[in-house]
């Protein structure tokens, strides 16, 4: 088998940690000797051993590592953070060859592993399935490079671009199947952000429900408001996770995102309403889009407020657009193109 085959095995390990490791990246590793995996591991959560250490610990015998090849999805770390540097453990174990996928975007580590390992007499190299390995940690990579969170815009809407039914009716436009699908997005992020209008109208819980393996995870709940009283009895202020709720008053969205990033929040899911989504798109802060379209025309607030694009050429475009039918609904997703307009580093916006 070739290096790509074993790297795919390491990617399968990395997938086990997705959604659990922030603010660390999700990483997987396998140790191979004579065409057989003899150790495997993944990073479980921040503060726990890294994937390489887990794989070494899962060997039948400590000496089995001597001369074996280690495949890891991310360049091994070379400095002491929450845990000791993995390179030291790799050298001590007698690994003969190290192949990694993506380069670590952390400037403290980036590009150092190959030099240090080769200096210790270990064959080393990277770039195997690099794009796939980097995609596992899209949010972490973005946060590390820009010092702002990866922003996902999510909404359920009617075919005429409305967010809600008329007053007095059910708040839901999309099906329960679509809502279950959207719940998966909450497992990926560190925070869920809404405006005060959504809090007052819907009294949401913004919790993760019904997703096996994520029973203990609760993203931060972030509320943006211009001012005025917020309902003290709201779920976000009274439930068991009330200490995971943050309120920002009269603050521009870019400033809020920078403050969240400083709190090691690497990803944010914007769930509404139209004003918040409009501010995010106007300031070109959105990185990923997930819209769920219900086969209904109902009138009501448009899904995106704000100023909008001044011309078609200035419109927000998507790459890797995907269209998935969920029951009678249509799920449209993709990544925001960055070849026009401003980016996170210089975006500005008016207070919400």
């Amino acid at each position: 088998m070739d290096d790509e085959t074993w790297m795919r095995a390491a990617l399968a390990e990395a997938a086990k940690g997705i959604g659990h490791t922030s603010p660390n990246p999700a990483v997987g590793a396998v140790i191979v000797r004579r065409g057989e995996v003899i150790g495997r591991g993944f990073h479980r959560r921040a503060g726990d051993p890294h994937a390489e250490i887990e794989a070494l610990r899962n060997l039948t015998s400590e000496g089995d590592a001597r001369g074996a090849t280690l495949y890891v999805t991310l360049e091994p770390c070379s400095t002491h953070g929450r845990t000791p540097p993995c390179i030291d453990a790799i050298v001590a174990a007698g690994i003969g060859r190290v192949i990694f996928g993506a380069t670590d975007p952390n400037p403290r580590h980036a590009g150092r592993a190959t030099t240090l390992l080769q200096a210790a007499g270990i064959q080393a190299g990277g770039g195997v399935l690099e794009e796939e390995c980097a995609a596992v940690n899209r949010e972490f990579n973005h946060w590390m490079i820009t010092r702002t969170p990866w922003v996902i815009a999510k909404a359920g809407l009617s075919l005429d671009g409305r967010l809600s039914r008329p007053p007095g009716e059910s708040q839901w436009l999309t099906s329960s199947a679509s809502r279950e699908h959207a719940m998966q997005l909450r497992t990926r992020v560190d925070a869920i952000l809404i405006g005060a209008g959504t809090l007052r109208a819907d009294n949401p819980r913004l919790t993760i429900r019904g997703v096996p393996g994520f029973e203990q995870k609760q993203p931060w709940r972030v509320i943006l408001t211009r001012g005025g009283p917020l309902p003290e009895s709201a779920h976000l202020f009274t439930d068991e996770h009330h200490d995971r709720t943050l309120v920002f008053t009269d603050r521009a969205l870019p400033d809020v995102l920078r403050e969240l990033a400083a709190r090691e929040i690497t990803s944010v899911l914007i769930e509404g309403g139209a004003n918040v989504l409009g501010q995010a798109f106007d300031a070109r802060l959105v990185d990923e889009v997930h819209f769920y379209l219900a086969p209904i025309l109902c009138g009501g607030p448009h899904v995106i407020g704000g100023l909008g694009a001044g011309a078609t050429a200035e419109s927000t475009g998507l790459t890797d657009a995907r269209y998935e039918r969920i029951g009678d609904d249509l799920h449209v997703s993709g990544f925001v193109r960055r070849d026009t307009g401003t980016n996170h580093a210089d975006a500005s916006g008016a207070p919400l």
Side-chain angles (χ1 to χ4, degrees), residues 194-211:
I194 62 170
T198 298
L199 176 71
R200 297 186 183 103
D202 298 340
N203 191 20
R205 297 181 182 274
L206 305 186
T207 55
I208 297 174
R209 303 182 295 278
V211 184

Side-chain angles (χ1 to χ4, degrees), residues 134-150:
V136 171
N137 293 301
R138 188 176 284 111
E139 296 89 348
F140 168 82
N141 296 340
H142 178 88
W143 171 71
M144 182 59 65
I145 293 168
T146 68
R147 306 316 296 178
T148 57
W150 179 265

Side-chain angles (χ1 to χ4, degrees), residues 45-87:
R45 60 186 60 84
D48 280 8
H50 289 183
E52 302 94 316
I53 308 304
E54 283 281 301
L56 288 169
R57 289 180 177 178
N58 287 331
L59 293 169
T60 303
S61 172
E62 184 176 341
D64 289 348
R66 297 209 165 272
T69 298
L70 169 68
Y71 292 89
V72 59
T73 56
L74 184 68
E75 176 182 8
C77 66
S78 53
T79 61
H80 200 297
R82 288 182 172 88
T83 59
C86 290
I87 283 183

Side-chain angles (χ1 to χ4, degrees), residues 13-28 41-51 54 73-74 82 136-141 143 187-190 213-214 217 264-267:
E13 291 297 312
K16 299 174 183 178
I18 293 175
H20 297 285
T21 63
S22 185
N24 286 358
V27 184
F42 67 98
H43 186 43
R44 297 174 183 273
R45 60 186 60 84
D48 280 8
H50 289 183
E54 283 281 301
T73 56
L74 184 68
R82 288 182 172 88
V136 171
N137 293 301
R138 188 176 284 111
E139 296 89 348
F140 168 82
N141 296 340
W143 171 71
T187 70
R188 287 178 46 195
V189 299
D190 296 336
F214 289 88
K217 179 175 179 177
E264 296 191 328
I265 291 174
T266 68
S267 52

Side-chain angles (χ1 to χ4, degrees), residues 147-149 151 193 224 248 251-262 270 276 279-280 282-285 342-352:
R147 306 316 296 178
T148 57
V151 175
L193 186 149
L224 274 63
F248 292 91
R251 294 279 300 277
L253 182 55
D255 292 339
V256 171
L257 292 175
R258 282 189 286 269
E259 181 166 332
L260 295 178
I270 299 180
V276 177
Q279 289 281 346
D282 280 351
R284 298 190 181 275
L285 299 170
T342 56
N343 58 29
H344 276 218
D346 61 6
S348 61
L352 294 161

Side-chain angles (χ1 to χ4, degrees), residues 5 7 11 26 74 135 171 181 229 256 265 267 311 313 319:
T5 298
M7 189 61 73
L11 278 166
L74 184 68
Q171 69 186 85
H181 188 278
V256 171
I265 291 174
S267 52
T319 62

Side-chain angles (χ1 to χ4, degrees), residues 195-268:
T198 298
L199 176 71
R200 297 186 183 103
D202 298 340
N203 191 20
R205 297 181 182 274
L206 305 186
T207 55
I208 297 174
R209 303 182 295 278
V211 184
F214 289 88
E215 294 84 358
Q216 303 304 314
K217 179 175 179 177
Q218 175 54 56
W220 287 93
R221 287 94 61 93
V222 181
I223 305 165
L224 274 63
T225 177
R226 293 189 184 95
L230 298 176
E232 296 181 0
S233 60
H235 295 308
L236 302 191
F237 301 134
T238 59
D239 68 8
E240 61 182 314
H241 307 297
H242 61 86
D243 59 343
R244 300 281 289 177
T245 298
L246 301 171
V247 177
F248 292 91
T249 303
D250 202 26
R251 294 279 300 277
L253 182 55
D255 292 339
V256 171
L257 292 175
R258 282 189 286 269
E259 181 166 332
L260 295 178
R263 292 172 176 258
E264 296 191 328
I265 291 174
T266 68
S267 52
V268 173

